[in-house]
């Protein structure tokens, strides 16, 4: 069998899903909402339950308690940056284009 024959067999057995720009835009919007919710929940947990969260993570991972607040800050900053770059910015660009 040649690669073209294998591709034809594969395409016959699989369902091809197409997505238009409107669907992709709404997908990015929902991803942004979900990811921002996780970010807010993480921030809330770290700020309000700081002592308990530090104790849990310190005992689970063997990290000194003084290092954890800096690690939390890096986590929140990186997560926020990823959400902005990969969810919110493409969503806004597609909204302005369409």
């Amino acid at each position: 069998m040649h690669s073209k024959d294998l591709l034809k067999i594969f395409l016959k057995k699989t369902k091809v899903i197409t997505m238009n720009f409107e669907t992709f835009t709404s997908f990015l919007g929902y991803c942004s909402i979900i990811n921002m919710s996780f970010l807010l929940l993480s921030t809330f947990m770290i700020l309000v339950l700081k002592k308990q969260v530090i104790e849990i993570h310190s005992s689970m991972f063997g990290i000194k308690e003084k290092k954890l607040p800096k690690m939390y800050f890096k986590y929140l900053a990186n997560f926020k940056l990823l959400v902005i770059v990969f969810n919110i910015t493409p969503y806004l660009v597609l909204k302005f284009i369409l």
Side-chain angles (χ1 to χ4, degrees):
M1 277 192 168
H2 295 293
S3 60
K4 288 183 181 180
D5 296 330
L6 291 174
L7 181 63
K8 287 180 184 178
I9 292 170
F10 176 74
L11 291 176
K12 284 181 184 178
K13 291 185 177 183
T14 59
K15 193 175 187 180
V16 179
I17 300 172
T18 58
M19 185 180 299
N20 58 18
F21 283 112
E22 290 83 14
T23 306
F24 188 60
T25 304
S26 65
F27 170 74
L28 285 173
Y30 286 118
C31 285
S32 299
I33 291 169
I34 292 168
N35 284 321
M36 288 303 292
S37 300
F38 281 130
L39 180 63
L40 290 172
L41 178 66
S42 298
T43 305
F44 175 79
M45 296 290 284
I46 289 171
L47 290 176
V48 174
L49 303 172
K50 187 174 185 176
K51 188 181 283 188
Q52 292 90 346
V53 172
I54 286 176
E55 288 175 5
I56 291 170
H57 289 150
S58 178
S59 65
M60 281 177 59
F61 301 115
I63 301 170
K64 294 180 182 176
E65 290 186 6
K66 289 186 176 183
K67 287 186 176 183
L68 281 171
K70 187 176 182 180
M71 293 175 75
Y72 294 149
F73 183 77
K74 283 184 180 180
Y75 159 74
L76 292 173
N78 289 333
F79 190 72
K80 180 175 67 172
L81 185 65
L82 288 172
V83 170
I84 290 171
V85 169
F86 290 111
N87 289 146
I88 296 173
T89 303
Y91 172 76
L92 292 175
V93 167
L94 286 172
K95 275 296 198 184
F96 287 134
I97 289 174
L98 301 176

